[in-house]
Amino acid sequence: DVKVTQSSRYLVKRTGEKVFLECVQDMDHENMFWYRQDPGLGLRLIYFSYDVKMKEKGDIPEGYSVSREKKERFSLILESASTNQTSMYLCASSTPGRAYEQYFGPGTRLTVT
Amino acid sequence: GDSVTQMEGPVTLSEEAFLTINCTYTATGYPSLFWYVQYPGEGLQLLLKATKADDKGSNKGFEATYRKETTSFHLEKGSVQVSDSAVYFCALSASGGSNYKLTFGKGTLLTVNP
C-alpha cells in the first residue's frame, strides 16, 4: 500500500522557534509537495520539488523554506515561527506522468503560541 | 488565474439521500478536473477525474461530468452512506493534467446521519 508519512500529527511551538516538518514517501515518486490547509481557504501550495535538491515556490512561500536531500524525504522549515503559521500542513507526492494524482500524508497540525 | 468555486458547506444528509456538490471553475485552455476526498483524520485521496469535455469520472458510486459549456464538474451520488462523511475538494490542473499544480476549491464538509 502506498504511503506518505509525516513526522508528527500534532506540534506546538513558540513564536520565533525554528520548526522542521518532515515528510517521507515510499513510492519512489519524483514530485513532492507541501500545502497548508486552513478553514475557508482550502489547500494552498507552499513549495514543490520535482527532484532531489530541486524546488519551486508555490503560491505562499513567504516565511517557509524546504529541503530535499533524498528522493523519499521532503522537509518544510519555518525559520522563525509566527502565530499566523498556525495551520494544518499536508505533504503529498506524485509521479511526473500522473502529476495530478497526488498521494497525501495525514497532516501535521501545527500550533504556534 | 485559475480558480475553483464549490458550494459552501456544511452539507448534512440522511443515509440513502441524493447528494450533489456543485463545482465551477475558471481556467485558460483545457484543464483536467478532479474530486478529492478527505476522511476524518486522514490526508486527501483522489476520488475521480475527468480529462476532457463530456468525460464522466466515477468511483465508489460517485460521479461527475466535465461540462465545458457551463464550466462545471458537479459531484453526485444517488444514495449516500454514513461512511461517505468527509470533506470533498474540487480541483483542476491546467495543461491537461501533466502540470503538477493543482488548484483546489475550499472544500465542502458532508455529514451523513443514520
Side-chain angles (χ1 to χ4, degrees):
Chain A
D1 200 15
V2 296
K3 219 170 180 79
V4 178
T5 56
Q6 297 184 227
S7 51
S8 306
R9 293 299 297 269
Y10 301 94
L11 209 53
V12 180
K13 296 292 182 180
R14 293 192 181 277
T15 300
E17 278 194 80
K18 190 168 186 175
V19 181
F20 293 86
L21 303 182
E22 305 285 340
C23 174
V24 177
Q25 51 95 3
D26 66 358
M27 296 164 282
D28 201 35
H29 283 169
E30 287 81 358
N31 300 334
M32 295 190 75
F33 310 82
W34 276 106
Y35 294 89
R36 62 178 282 176
Q37 181 180 12
D38 298 290
L41 296 177
L43 273 74
R44 293 178 291 168
L45 181 65
I46 305 172
Y47 266 98
F48 159 65
S49 170
Y50 53 91
D51 202 351
V52 174
K53 297 190 187 295
M54 308 304 288
K55 62 186 179 186
E56 285 190 17
K57 293 179 180 179
D59 298 319
I60 51 163
E62 296 78 18
Y64 303 94
S65 61
V66 290
S67 172
R68 188 147 181 224
E69 297 296 320
K70 294 185 178 182
K71 189 176 185 179
E72 68 270 18
R73 188 180 296 270
F74 192 35
S75 302
L76 180 69
I77 303 156
L78 287 66
E79 296 289 342
S80 177
S82 63
T83 54
N84 63 13
Q85 293 178 310
T86 291
S87 185
M88 172 69 85
Y89 290 88
L90 293 172
C91 175
S93 70
S94 72
T95 60
R98 293 170 68 89
Y100 57 81
E101 187 165 1
Q102 296 183 13
Y103 292 84
F104 283 80
T108 296
R109 183 164 295 283
L110 172 67
T111 302
V112 182
T113 61
Chain B
D2 298 340
S3 67
V4 175
T5 302
Q6 59 183 106
M7 64 187 286
E8 298 276 337
V11 174
T12 303
L13 296 173
S14 297
E15 209 164 21
E16 299 184 2
F18 185 85
L19 168 71
T20 300
I21 300 178
N22 291 337
C23 171
T24 58
Y25 68 89
T26 302
T28 54
Y30 302 94
S32 292
L33 302 172
F34 312 94
W35 279 99
Y36 274 77
V37 58
Q38 184 179 30
Y39 297 105
E42 299 182 13
L44 281 71
Q45 54 186 274
L46 180 64
L47 179 61
L48 54 85
K49 69 179 189 292
T51 57
K52 61 182 187 297
D54 299 324
D55 268 2
K56 178 186 281 188
S58 61
N59 187 23
K60 300 183 181 179
F62 291 89
E63 293 182 340
T65 301
Y66 187 163
R67 302 282 188 204
K68 190 167 174 60
E69 63 277 12
T70 54
T71 61
S72 64
F73 193 55
H74 305 321
L75 183 68
E76 296 181 337
K77 187 174 186 182
S79 176
V80 294
Q81 306 300 312
V82 172
S83 57
D84 294 325
S85 298
V87 181
Y88 292 82
F89 292 90
C90 187
L92 72 81
S93 172
S95 305
S98 59
N99 191 318
Y100 69 87
K101 183 173 167 59
L102 285 173
T103 300
F104 288 91
K106 295 181 180 180
T108 302
L109 173 63
L110 169 67
T111 302
V112 181
N113 295 319

